């Protein structure tokens, strides 16, 4: 195992690499996610004359926000980036100088599109033409099939978080059928029933739960945009496509989750991260 440094040490270590970066970028996640973030930002910032060769993961969301709040060093331009997480559904974003909250559950949500997923499958396969891969996977249809069941599940996760203060996100595997090929709607319905039952055991009424559900449905209609906003791509959408691609392409490639998302980064829809790009430019010029 490698040496693990404290958050404070990792935050202070930027002094050794700041000459390579126009601004310092701090993120969630772990050291092995750095290359992913660097490549993502390289693509996003092409043509801006902003150079980011290093990114500094600090750990969980709360740790990054806490570091941002405590950071009083005005000598360096910097930006702390955190996921929107489950909180996007029921409360305003945190607002602190130097903090940027993503408009989606996690950074991986911005990697999901037909082009990125098909390109990943095409390059891992190396046998079929790209257009054949595209037809075989039928990404738009698959994404649309995920909208209702996963959106409903995450609506209830967020209601549980709002009313109870915690929730258990589990993993997409918990809601797949026995062949691990498709979403098992019965498993999702059972989980939703369990959440409702648990909330009622803590004194919450059906009408209170239903009101919160309707508020979410009004704010986040059932569509692809909502799926890619409120559902965790890291724990649900990417692992689901991992199963699907392995089955459809008739192989079983076992590579780390970090490798799957890194292989999506060259074809993600850059426009979806325009707000982050504008904020990085603003901070770099301040």
């Amino acid at each position: 195992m490698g040496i693990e440094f404290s958050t404070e040490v990792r935050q202070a270590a930027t002094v050794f690499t700041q000459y390579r970066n126009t601004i310092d970028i701090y993120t969630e996640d772990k050291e092995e996610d750095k290359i992913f973030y660097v490549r993502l930002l390289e693509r996003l910032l092409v043509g801006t004359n902003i150079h980011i060769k290093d990114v500094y993961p600090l750990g969980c969301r709360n740790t990054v926000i806490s570091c941002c709040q405590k950071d009083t060093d005005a000598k360096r331009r910097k930006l702390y980036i955190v996921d929107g997480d489950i909180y996007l559904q029921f409360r305003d974003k945190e607002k602190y100088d130097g903090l940027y909250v993503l408009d989606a559950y996690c950074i991986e949500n911005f990697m999901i599109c037909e082009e990125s997923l098909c390109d990943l499958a095409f390059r891992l396969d190396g046998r079929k033409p790209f257009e054949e891969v595209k037809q075989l996977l039928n990404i738009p249809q698959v994404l649309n099939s995920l909208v209702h069941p996963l959106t409903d599940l995450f609506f209830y996760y967020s209601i549980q978080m709002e009313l109870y203060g915690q929730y258990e996100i589990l993993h997409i595997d918990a809601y797949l059928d026995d062949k691990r090929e498709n979403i098992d709607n019965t498993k999702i319905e059972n989980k939703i029933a369990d959440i409702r039952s648990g909330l009622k055991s803590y004194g919450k009424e059906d009408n209170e739960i239903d009101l919160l559900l309707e508020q979410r449905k009004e704010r986040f209609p059932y569509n692809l945009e909502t799926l890619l906003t409120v559902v965790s791509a890291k724990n649900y959408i990417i692992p689901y496509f991992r199963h699907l691609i392995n089955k459809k392409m008739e192989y079983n490639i076992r590579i780390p989750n970090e490798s799957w998302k890194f292989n999506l980064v060259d074809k993600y829809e850059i426009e979806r991260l325009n707000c982050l790009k504008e904020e990085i430019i603003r901070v770099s010029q301040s």
Side-chain angles (χ1 to χ4, degrees), residues 152-169:
D152 276 337
L153 179 63
F154 273 76
F155 280 165
Y156 274 95
Y157 280 157
S158 73
I159 291 171
Q160 189 177 29
M161 186 66 183
E162 182 174 1
L163 294 179
Y164 184 55
Q166 63 183 37
Y167 73 108
E168 186 181 12
I169 190 172

Side-chain angles (χ1 to χ4, degrees), residues 217-275:
K217 289 181 178 180
E218 183 175 344
R219 183 179 175 190
F220 300 101
Y222 292 104
N223 56 35
L224 180 58
E225 182 181 358
T226 290
L227 176 75
L228 298 182
T229 299
V230 306
V231 175
S232 169
K234 181 177 183 178
N235 292 299
Y236 280 72
I237 302 175
I238 291 177
Y240 183 81
F241 278 102
R242 184 174 186 168
H243 289 306
L244 179 80
I245 290 170
N246 274 329
K247 176 177 173 53
K248 293 283 189 179
M249 304 300 294
E250 298 180 339
Y251 52 56
N252 186 21
I253 295 178
R254 297 182 180 275
I255 58 176
N257 290 332
E258 291 81 11
S259 300
W260 278 85
K261 72 179 183 181
F262 181 77
N263 277 283
L264 296 171
V265 79
D266 282 338
K267 297 292 182 179
Y268 78 93
E269 295 176 347
I270 293 178
E271 296 77 12
R272 293 183 58 218
L273 278 171
N274 273 346
C275 289

Side-chain angles (χ1 to χ4, degrees), residues 61 65 82-85 87-96 99-104 110 219 275-276:
R61 187 178 193 273
I65 293 174
V82 296
D83 297 339
D85 216 289
Y87 310 106
L88 277 180
Q89 293 189 48
F90 62 90
R91 76 183 191 198
D92 294 335
K93 293 180 181 180
E94 295 88 346
K95 295 181 179 179
Y96 302 108
L99 180 69
Y100 184 88
V101 181
L102 294 167
D103 291 316
F110 297 96
R219 183 179 175 190
C275 289
L276 174 58

Side-chain angles (χ1 to χ4, degrees), residues 50-244:
I50 295 173
H51 303 288
I52 297 175
K53 301 298 182 182
D54 306 277
V55 169
Y56 310 99
L58 298 177
C60 73
R61 187 178 193 273
N62 287 340
T63 297
V64 179
I65 293 174
S66 176
C67 288
C68 177
Q69 290 177 283
K70 295 174 182 177
D71 191 339
T72 58
D73 179 12
K75 297 177 183 177
R76 286 284 297 168
R77 298 182 179 92
K78 61 193 75 172
L79 191 64
Y80 291 80
I81 302 172
V82 296
D83 297 339
D85 216 289
I86 201 71
Y87 310 106
L88 277 180
Q89 293 189 48
F90 62 90
R91 76 183 191 198
D92 294 335
K93 293 180 181 180
E94 295 88 346
K95 295 181 179 179
Y96 302 108
D97 287 343
L99 180 69
Y100 184 88
V101 181
L102 294 167
D103 291 316
Y105 192 99
C106 56
I107 189 67
E108 289 85 352
N109 285 56
F110 297 96
M111 301 300 104
I112 303 300
C113 67
E114 182 180 20
E115 191 72 13
S116 64
L117 289 164
C118 288
D119 179 72
L120 179 151
F122 170 70
R123 287 188 287 121
L124 290 179
D125 180 71
R127 298 168 295 175
K128 299 178 181 67
F130 181 77
E131 287 303 317
E132 184 178 337
V133 171
K134 206 169 181 178
Q135 291 178 14
L136 185 63
L137 295 180
N138 199 357
I139 299 298
Q141 181 178 356
V142 176
L143 283 170
N144 285 330
S145 74
L146 300 178
V147 169
H148 272 79
L150 294 188
T151 299
D152 276 337
L153 179 63
F154 273 76
F155 280 165
Y156 274 95
Y157 280 157
S158 73
I159 291 171
Q160 189 177 29
M161 186 66 183
E162 182 174 1
L163 294 179
Y164 184 55
Q166 63 183 37
Y167 73 108
E168 186 181 12
I169 190 172
L170 298 179
H171 188 276
I172 189 66
D173 289 355
Y175 302 107
L176 296 180
D177 60 20
D178 292 338
K179 294 182 179 179
R180 299 181 74 185
E181 294 177 4
N182 299 297
I183 296 288
D184 187 330
N185 289 321
T186 300
K187 290 181 179 179
I188 289 183
E189 291 166 2
N190 289 341
K191 179 61 177 179
I192 288 173
D194 287 345
I195 292 173
R196 290 188 70 101
S197 177
L199 291 173
K200 289 166 71 174
S201 72
Y202 279 89
K204 306 303 179 182
E205 300 291 337
D206 276 326
N207 59 354
E208 183 179 3
I209 298 170
D210 290 340
L211 177 61
L212 293 177
L213 179 61
E214 289 306 312
Q215 289 174 354
R216 283 154 173 78
K217 289 181 178 180
E218 183 175 344
R219 183 179 175 190
F220 300 101
Y222 292 104
N223 56 35
L224 180 58
E225 182 181 358
T226 290
L227 176 75
L228 298 182
T229 299
V230 306
V231 175
S232 169
K234 181 177 183 178
N235 292 299
Y236 280 72
I237 302 175
I238 291 177
Y240 183 81
F241 278 102
R242 184 174 186 168
H243 289 306
L244 179 80

